[in-house]
Amino acid sequence: MTVFNQNQIDVTAQPMFFGEDTGTARFDIYKHKIFEDLTEKQLSFFWRPEEINLTADKAQYDKLKPFEQRIFTNNLKYQSLLDSIQGRAPGLAFSSICSDVSLETWIQTWGFSETIHSRSYTHIMRNLYEDPSKEFDDIVLNPAIMKRATSISDYYDDLICAVRYYQNAMEHASTGRPVTVNAQLVDAMKKLYLCMHVVNALEAIRFYVSFACTFNFMESYGIMEGNVKIMKLIARDEQLHLKGTQYIIRQIQNGGEGELWKNIADELQEEANQIFLDVADQEKEWVDDLFAEGEPLGLNKKNMYGYVDYLTHSRMQSAGLDSPFAGQSLKHPIPFVRKFLNSELVQSAPQEVEISSYLISQIDHDIDQDIHQSFKKYF
């Protein structure tokens, strides 16, 4: 491996992964335009959580019932965990084996946007809780959250290990020692394909129970507007990330990356199906844990289960998988969520959505006669 490939490379002939190491970062030509489009879109979405004023949210949160506070806080902790993983794992697991410059740039941009999400949770916790460190420390002590962490990180870790074995095999082969390079490569490719499904399911389902609960505080209670604004921006980013993973998966399944990749996708179809179904089951378990002490206005276990099923069917079809709900007519059980997720309805730039924070202490109403006198020299 090298951080800069000095050979002349036809970038339009490179596979997405396990091809030549990348060289010049050039964007005048590309094989997959979608990665350029996603990067440009993500950059145009740039925002900072500090732009959102959460002063009113603090007073509203304090008036919630204990079980409602628990729902809000646990969702916040769960999302903190997910984006902690996604802020570093794509770069660690995918970048070293990426052979497409546009995809490499998208992976880096994707990871950076996830770090903004993580900073958002810190911004929220600093504003809502007297001791935010206590809330962060509790994340790894919560078994309901950590169960989901393991089901994600294991696949990333398996891929990283498989890639290391493959690279070691390549190094040994270069010294003339007998090794099974092809077997190690195929194993790494399989680990990558399954890991991509895990990431796709994360972006497709895992965030949405939390999103629905947060949006419901605005829809049913008329409160927590600042937090809702932040979650809308996060959800908008996540939809881009979902589109990227879906494209990679479909490209592999459809033979766009070659026959070997297609055969791997066919071989692992059932395992990929099960990954998605397991995620759906885990999210229903998460609903049970969230609502263990009470159900909020507007939401209950039944409609949240239905929402998970609705998403599972749609997302599995988009990922080329076999939905267990095929042939059924599933209706969106909590349709109000759509208006919060539809970023196309928002025409203003994200920096312009919340401008009140820019105005704090910018106007001085204490005007006296001396100030009026000081203006006379200009007239």
Side-chain angles (χ1 to χ4, degrees):
M1 290 185 62
T2 176
V3 295
F4 183 80
N5 191 338
Q6 300 182 39
N7 298 325
Q8 189 171 14
I9 306 169
D10 181 359
V11 297
T12 63
Q14 287 300 304
M16 292 187 289
F17 300 100
F18 296 112
E20 290 272 357
D21 291 333
T22 51
T24 303
R26 57 183 297 181
F27 307 100
D28 56 324
I29 55 175
Y30 37 77
K31 184 176 181 180
H32 303 281
K33 185 175 184 297
I34 185 173
F35 299 129
E36 277 294 288
D37 293 340
L38 289 171
T39 299
E40 290 290 336
K41 195 74 168 178
Q42 185 70 79
L43 292 175
S44 74
F45 282 173
F46 179 76
W47 57 281
R48 297 178 68 245
E50 292 79 9
E51 297 169 356
I52 312 298
N53 188 344
L54 301 177
T55 304
D57 295 53
K58 165 61 175 171
Q60 293 165 352
Y61 174 84
D62 288 343
K63 293 179 181 179
L64 289 172
K65 297 175 182 177
F67 82 88
E68 293 166 334
Q69 290 182 341
R70 180 179 179 274
I71 290 171
F72 183 89
T73 299
N74 282 1
N75 275 320
L76 198 58
K77 292 176 181 178
Y78 181 30
Q79 288 181 253
S80 296
L81 170 99
L82 294 178
D83 280 324
S84 295
I85 295 174
Q86 288 303 98
R88 67 175 64 95
L92 289 173
F94 302 146
S95 290
S96 66
I97 54 176
C98 182
S99 45
D100 183 294
V101 171
S102 293
L103 173 56
E104 180 183 54
T105 303
W106 165 239
I107 291 170
Q108 295 167 345
T109 306
W110 168 17
F112 175 67
S113 72
E114 300 284 17
T115 67
I116 294 177
H117 301 173
S118 293
R119 299 184 71 85
S120 298
Y121 306 132
T122 299
H123 177 58
I124 293 171
M125 290 189 184
R126 280 174 176 165
N127 280 272
L128 292 188
Y129 309 118
E130 297 298 328
D131 185 5
S133 295
K134 177 183 177 182
E135 306 300 334
F136 277 115
D137 291 342
D138 184 64
I139 291 174
V140 296
L141 301 176
N142 188 319
I145 294 176
M146 294 312 296
K147 178 180 179 180
R148 286 145 186 78
T150 300
S151 66
I152 301 165
S153 60
D154 281 355
Y155 282 87
Y156 272 123
D157 293 342
D158 287 348
L159 170 61
I160 292 170
C161 286
V163 169
R164 187 182 303 123
Y165 291 144
Y166 166 62
Q167 291 169 344
N168 289 342
M170 291 284 286
E171 183 178 348
H172 291 164
S174 68
T175 64
R177 284 177 282 181
V179 290
T180 54
V181 174
N182 287 339
Q184 297 291 354
L185 173 59
V186 171
D187 183 60
M189 292 169 72
K190 290 180 178 180
K191 295 292 196 303
L192 172 61
Y193 181 71
L194 291 177
C195 185
M196 197 62 68
H197 275 290
V198 169
V199 179
N200 185 66
L202 183 154
E203 304 283 5
I205 297 182
R206 287 194 187 274
F207 281 100
Y208 285 84
V209 167
S210 298
F211 286 153
C213 290
T214 300
F215 297 150
N216 185 63
F217 281 108
M218 187 65 191
E219 180 71 15
S220 298
Y221 294 75
I223 61 173
M224 309 300 284
E225 182 178 5
N227 282 275
V228 168
K229 287 179 178 179
I230 289 176
M231 292 306 163
K232 284 177 66 176
L233 294 173
I234 291 175
R236 183 178 62 174
D237 291 343
E238 300 300 356
Q239 290 178 59
L240 287 184
H241 308 162
L242 174 61
K243 186 174 181 180
T245 55
Q246 284 178 345
Y247 177 83
I248 292 171
I249 289 169
R250 297 297 281 167
Q251 190 73 7
I252 290 172
Q253 292 170 338
N254 296 334
E257 289 294 282
E259 195 65 24
L260 177 56
W261 274 111
K262 187 177 185 303
N263 291 340
I264 287 173
D266 291 341
E267 177 186 342
L268 298 177
Q269 180 78 1
E270 287 303 316
E271 194 166 346
N273 287 338
Q274 195 58 50
I275 285 173
F276 235 103
L277 297 177
D278 289 345
V279 169
D281 288 341
Q282 288 175 9
E283 290 311 292
K284 289 179 180 178
E285 291 176 5
W286 181 240
V287 171
D288 291 340
D289 184 79
L290 286 176
F291 295 172
E293 297 179 10
E295 296 178 340
L297 296 174
L299 295 179
N300 55 58
K301 289 184 181 180
K302 182 180 179 180
N303 60 20
M304 290 298 283
Y305 287 174
Y307 186 42
V308 172
D309 289 342
Y310 177 85
L311 287 173
T312 300
H313 174 59
S314 172
R315 307 305 203 198
M316 288 187 75
Q317 287 189 319
S318 297
L321 300 177
D322 304 317
S323 167
F325 305 102
Q328 300 181 34
S329 179
L330 298 182
K331 294 183 179 181
H332 200 310
I334 43 176
F336 75 81
V337 172
R338 285 187 174 131
K339 70 181 179 183
F340 293 98
L341 294 176
N342 189 356
S343 61
E344 299 303 322
L345 296 177
V346 180
Q347 297 300 319
S348 56
Q351 295 91 330
E352 299 168 351
V353 173
E354 170 60 56
I355 62 174
S356 61
S357 57
Y358 297 140
L359 302 179
I360 295 174
S361 301
Q362 298 304 304
I363 300 175
D364 186 356
H365 296 283
D366 297 323
I367 299 176
D368 56 24
Q369 188 62 32
D370 291 338
I371 294 178
H372 283 296
Q373 291 295 329
S374 69
F375 292 152
K376 287 186 177 180
K377 64 182 178 181
Y378 298 108
F379 298 95

